[in-house]
Amino acid sequence: MYRHVLSQVVDAMEIMVLSILAPEARCDYGLEPYQESLITTVVFGGMFLGAGLWGKFLDKYGRKTGLFIVCVVVSVTSLASAFAPTYMLLLLFRCAVGFGISGSSQACFGHWEQSVKYCWLCSFWDI
């Protein structure tokens, strides 16, 4: 259970860091305002792309294994985006972060819904 909670905390922090990352990237890379906004957009684009693919992957390989792989994807791509030498690589890595974040949510909520004890955790999101 603690793995799922920590995974959700990390995902929330990844989304919150966008408000810090975009202005810093604007200064570091000399970006226009639309390019700054694109940093946030690609994260949600990655979430959109990953939403359908992670569901099939988690059903095939299991939620526990899938959550581990998701955490590796998010960790590696987050670290890579911290050291991205170009703006295009930053966008690519942030899109991959969004791809991983969508898998984490599916792994956690799927596990919680199957558990009678923690089913109330998912009822909020259904409203």
Side-chain angles (χ1 to χ4, degrees), residues 72-82 92-98 100:
V72 169
V73 167
V74 171
S75 299
V76 169
T77 56
S78 293
L79 187 64
S81 69
L92 177 71
F93 292 141
R94 296 312 296 175
C95 183
V97 167

Side-chain angles (χ1 to χ4, degrees), residues 51-124:
L53 299 175
W54 280 116
K56 293 181 189 294
F57 181 86
L58 294 169
D59 287 343
K60 185 174 183 178
Y61 296 105
R63 307 235 179 257
K64 193 174 191 179
T65 304
L67 184 62
F68 176 76
I69 292 171
V70 163
C71 289
V72 169
V73 167
V74 171
S75 299
V76 169
T77 56
S78 293
L79 187 64
S81 69
F83 297 106
T86 65
Y87 173 68
M88 291 306 289
L89 280 176
L90 176 67
L91 291 179
L92 177 71
F93 292 141
R94 296 312 296 175
C95 183
V97 167
F99 183 83
I101 287 174
S102 66
S104 174
S105 298
Q106 289 184 22
C108 294
F109 290 135
H111 178 75
W112 287 338
E113 286 177 348
Q114 293 172 358
S115 172
V116 175
K117 185 176 180 182
Y118 298 108
C119 189
W120 62 271
L121 289 171
C122 293
S123 63
F124 170 76

Side-chain angles (χ1 to χ4, degrees), residues 10-68:
V10 169
D11 290 350
M13 289 175 60
E14 279 293 335
I15 298 298
M16 286 189 323
V17 80
L18 292 173
S19 64
I20 299 168
L21 175 68
E24 285 296 320
R26 185 175 185 185
C27 294
D28 289 347
Y29 296 113
L31 303 177
E32 297 292 325
Y34 77 91
Q35 292 173 313
E36 180 183 1
S37 300
L38 193 58
I39 296 170
T40 303
T41 305
V42 296
V43 172
F44 291 108
M47 291 172 80
F48 176 76
L49 293 174
L53 299 175
W54 280 116
K56 293 181 189 294
F57 181 86
L58 294 169
D59 287 343
K60 185 174 183 178
Y61 296 105
R63 307 235 179 257
K64 193 174 191 179
T65 304
L67 184 62
F68 176 76

